Amino acid sequence: MTTTDLTALSSLSGLELMRWVQTERPADIPSIGRLLGMRFDEVEHGRIVVSLDTRPDFANPLGTVHGGIAATLLDSAMGCAVHTTLPAGTGYTTLELKVNYIRAARTDGQVLTAEGKVIHAGRRTATAEGKVTDDQGKLIAHATTTCMIF
């Protein structure tokens, strides 16, 4: 399957699609993951691990990684974890995202890893939790989300 065959992609379950993204690493489909250089390290039913290498472009005015990078990693990991529980043709969107920041991250190529896990997957909503750690295993941020299923 080519990355531009979007009809074929829409026939995949959420888990199949996330595994396809993990293996194929499509460069020709615009996405926040492509923009930030995210990697899909682990893909399971109800669980996703994504990572990225920080860079100077991620800096806030204080010179550390902007909180929006951690929030985006968390939103992506938790949302994609929810996606792995959905059948083909079913979508979702984030209804609520609550992030707690613990410590700053450096912009010098440090690896940040986000893990998202589904807590509950219902017919109309799903909830998930996530955490971002640095390359030394230190907690950078943690979060919860509620997603609407449609």
Side-chain angles (χ1 to χ4, degrees):
M1 170 182 344
T2 66
T3 56
T4 53
D5 188 359
L6 298 179
T7 304
L9 291 178
S10 67
S11 70
L12 299 176
S13 71
L15 180 59
E16 291 167 335
L17 180 62
M18 292 296 101
R19 286 185 172 154
W20 178 83
V21 169
Q22 180 187 31
T23 357
E24 297 300 318
R25 302 181 68 133
D28 61 340
I29 298 175
S31 70
I32 191 68
R34 183 179 81 171
L35 179 67
L36 297 181
M38 282 186 211
R39 298 175 294 272
F40 281 73
D41 300 327
E42 297 177 41
V43 175
E44 301 171 18
H45 185 267
R47 181 177 171 272
I48 293 278
V49 177
V50 296
S51 63
L52 57 71
D53 300 325
T54 64
R55 57 185 191 249
D57 288 339
F58 294 172
N60 61 25
L62 299 173
T64 58
V65 172
H66 189 282
I69 299 297
T72 300
L73 268 171
L74 286 161
D75 189 42
S76 296
M78 294 183 299
C80 288
V82 166
H83 197 161
T84 66
T85 68
L86 302 178
T90 304
Y92 71 96
T93 191
T94 301
L95 283 175
E96 179 267 342
L97 175 67
K98 167 68 171 91
V99 180
N100 292 285
Y101 297 96
I102 306 303
R103 67 176 39 87
R106 300 184 321 270
T107 62
D108 62 355
Q110 181 177 45
V111 176
L112 297 182
T113 302
E115 177 182 25
K117 292 181 187 177
V118 172
I119 298 169
H120 168 77
R123 288 184 325 119
R124 300 278 185 201
T125 62
T127 56
E129 62 187 1
K131 64 181 179 175
V132 174
T133 55
D134 66 15
D135 46 13
Q136 308 225 323
K138 291 184 179 177
L139 186 64
I140 301 298
H142 59 95
T144 57
T145 192
T146 303
C147 295
M148 179 174 64
I149 311 299
F150 53 88

